[in-house]
Amino acid sequence: MGKNILQTTNKRVRPLWLCPLIKKIFTLFIWLLLLPVTALAVEGAPNSLYVGDQQVINGNNTTFWTTDKSTGGLTEYEGNDDNWNVKYDPSTVTLTLKNATIKGVYNNVNTSGSGIYAASSSGPVSLNIVLEEENKVSGMHGINVSSSGGDASLNISGSGSLTVSGLSGNGIGIFMSSQNSANLTIEEASVTALGSQDGGSGVRLITSQTGSPSLTIEVKGGSLQASGETNGIHFLSNVNDATAVANMKVSGNAMVKASNIITTKDGTGSAPELKPAASGSDGTGGIIWDGKSGTVYGNVTLQEDITIGEGESLTIGQDANLTVPFGTTLTNNGTVTTEGGGTLTNNGKIYNSGTLPDNIQGSAPPKITTASLLNGTVGTSYSQTLASDNNPTNWSITSGTLPAGLTLDTSTGEITGAPTTAGTSTFTVTATNSAGSDSKELSLTVKSVSVTGVKLDQESLTLQENGSATLTATVEPANASNQDITWKSSDTSIATVDANGTVTAISAGTATITATAQDGSGVSASCSVTVTHSMVHTPKKDATCTEDGNIEYWYCKNCDKYFSDENATEELSDVVIPATGHHYVNGYCTKCGHRDPDYRPDPISYYNIYIEDVCDGVEVTLSNNVVREGNSISVYVKKDTANYTFDNFKVYYKRSYYGGWEELKEGTQPGEYPIKNIWTHIYIKAEGAEEKEDPTGIESIEGVKVYTKDGSLYVQTPQREQVIIVSMSGAVVKNEEQIGLKQYHGLHPGIYIVRVGDKAYKLCLN
């Protein structure tokens, strides 16, 4: 059985005609959801954005890239960490650079070859760049922003820095071709823009439209430095009838430093009118440098130390104020001025060597007023107090030195003492207080005290051969600047004198010893020295006998004179030598022709010839190493003329270890130096040969040599070394410095340890 059931509901019943419309609306909604997001693009977003060699726009996606520091190219980054260098977010039209190195590549799309190229072909263009860490961008143009239908804007912000370089054009170029504006805004970031040396600008803003377009650079905190071949910042109008306006704005204590700022036109129209900088809404301002001329706008507090160079000027403009805060330094080597109520407030430090305004607020740095210093005299008390305005709390010498013997009181600026050395000293003195410091270069001349007299403790002196005595010289006045004395003998074959005034008798005769002041005054004193034959040290005599066999006279061989007896020191005058009975009996006799049985004849003496010191470049040999008393030897010198020069070469000798050195003259044969009439040990040295420069620039130095020969020990060193000779008992027998070849004589046979520098040698001396 069928049922006819009527169903009811409390819902509103839709009219049948509405259903098809709802269906269409739903379909349209679904279609809208399926449309690409790019259809909802941000206004002002570039339709071309090249970074280096890559187009970074990828639909509605945020893209990440790394950069190659050597090539400046980009590689897409697919990691999930923060190791990227470039990021582009199309939703905010923001390009973030983080420690990036970017180099532009010229191609068919990026026809400008820019490091960063942002362009719009049919509307406004605006690009935001955020900086993190240090970044570098370069290309034919550094950054190029171009619009063909509206405003063109570049905004740079962030805590990092950017150096942007145009290799054949501008560092930063912004171009707009409509009756709108071109804008560069920098917030807190540090930007350096460098144009090429081929007509490029650091920053160039260009308009190609009629009407009154505006070209604006605004720096809100941070800094902008711009330079190029001919200009740093360039505002350019490319049309005939435009009345463009150029604006410079600084706030937030910003610093703009351009090599120069210009406005120009291209055609017959007027150049953009440059508007003065305006302060920020909070009253803060900044400093704009146009070449070497800077202007302070608004209230500016320095954020870091600055230096105004020589030839530069800074003007604190009308109702503006420049504050140097605590912990910050303004160094002025140029000129600072104020105008129209402008002020300079110093709460930190101002170092000034140029010109400052008189109305400095706060503390004022010191100003040294001392023009020159009084001269002093060696050995005389000296005192002078340096003068300065504004009460310095500390004085110091910051370069150079005071004359020896003088000191500076750091709290009072007083220079006191007694100078000890003549001459002129140049030094820089600095005065400091809480506001800063001032420095001045000063000179102080110390005059010398000349020698007026020299006195010797003896005016005459008599010595026997080989005897010695020391003369003492006194300089007058006692405070003479130079107390040194030069000693000289008039005849070194009779007597020599060393640097200490010790006179050594050589042979019979008379010589004059002169002591001369070394200060150039020429003052001197002299002593006459008489040298007599020594009858005690060399009494070799032969007897002269009478016919009855008695000894009548004694004859001294080395004196070639006759005496009354064997011990006499006075020679006989008018002696008649017998024609007969003249006998030589090898010693003292009691009767002519007979030997005294108790007589022991004096042994014949032999003397050693020592080579003391020989310079490089020569070889010294002897005709004999030992010579009988009264005989002669020859010293032979062989010179290495290929490698050494001998302009200053000399050979010296001295008679006895304590004798004075004198020059040994070359004999008739080249290279032979004779020494005659030898009655003591002889010491020889050769010096003055100078090594020729090695044309290859390679220095050849012979090493250390230590050896024994003929009962002596020899040490040769290529450079000055400390030589220590120690016996096996531990006794130090020699400790001295030497260079070249040296003979150490007088050592007893045995084993010795010889230390030369940091090396030791063990030798046996026979």
Side-chain angles (χ1 to χ4, degrees), residues 400-463:
T401 57
L402 284 171
L406 298 182
T407 58
L408 172 68
D409 189 314
T410 58
S411 59
T412 65
E414 184 180 18
I415 299 175
T416 57
T420 59
T421 305
T424 298
S425 297
T426 300
F427 51 90
T428 299
V429 63
T430 299
T432 306
N433 63 15
S434 61
S437 64
D438 185 31
S439 299
K440 184 177 289 292
E441 185 178 85
L442 300 172
S443 293
L444 199 161
T445 299
V446 178
K447 301 176 182 178
S448 61
V449 177
S450 299
V451 175
T452 58
V454 175
K455 288 186 177 181
L456 294 177
D457 60 338
Q458 299 183 72
E459 295 183 354
S460 62
L461 187 64
T462 300
L463 297 172

Side-chain angles (χ1 to χ4, degrees), residues 166 262-263 277 303 404 461 476 490 515 627-628 716:
I262 65 171
T263 62
Q303 303 300 297
L461 187 64
E476 297 177 340
S490 63
V627 62
R628 183 171 177 170
Q716 179 174 316

Side-chain angles (χ1 to χ4, degrees), residues 449-582:
V449 177
S450 299
V451 175
T452 58
V454 175
K455 288 186 177 181
L456 294 177
D457 60 338
Q458 299 183 72
E459 295 183 354
S460 62
L461 187 64
T462 300
L463 297 172
Q464 290 186 348
E465 291 176 331
N466 298 319
S468 64
T470 300
L471 297 174
T472 300
T474 303
V475 173
E476 297 177 340
N479 68 335
S481 302
N482 191 337
Q483 299 278 330
D484 295 334
I485 291 294
T486 298
W487 296 89
K488 184 178 181 180
S489 170
S490 63
D491 192 339
T492 56
S493 66
I494 295 174
T496 61
V497 62
D498 64 13
N500 298 318
T502 299
V503 180
T504 301
I506 303 300
S507 61
T510 301
T512 299
I513 304 299
T514 303
T516 304
Q518 283 190 5
D519 71 339
S521 63
V523 178
S524 64
S526 61
C527 173
S528 177
V529 178
T530 300
V531 179
T532 63
H533 288 294
S534 172
M535 300 302 298
V536 176
H537 296 96
T538 56
K540 290 298 179 182
K541 301 178 181 180
D542 287 336
T544 299
C545 304
T546 61
E547 293 183 358
D548 59 4
N550 293 322
I551 297 174
E552 185 172 3
Y553 306 114
W554 294 88
Y555 173 70
C556 177
K557 287 183 180 179
N558 65 308
C559 305
D560 193 24
K561 295 176 182 176
Y562 288 90
F563 297 86
S564 59
D565 59 54
E566 61 177 306
N567 295 316
T569 58
E570 298 82 11
E571 60 182 294
L572 297 178
S573 60
D574 301 325
V575 175
V576 178
I577 305 301
T580 60
H582 192 170

Side-chain angles (χ1 to χ4, degrees), residues 18 79 166 246 281 310 358 386 455 479 510 533 661 704 718 732 759:
L18 189 59
S281 59
E310 185 175 354
D358 296 330
L386 301 173
K455 288 186 177 181
N479 68 335
T510 301
H533 288 294
W661 290 103
V704 174
V732 177
K759 295 182 180 180

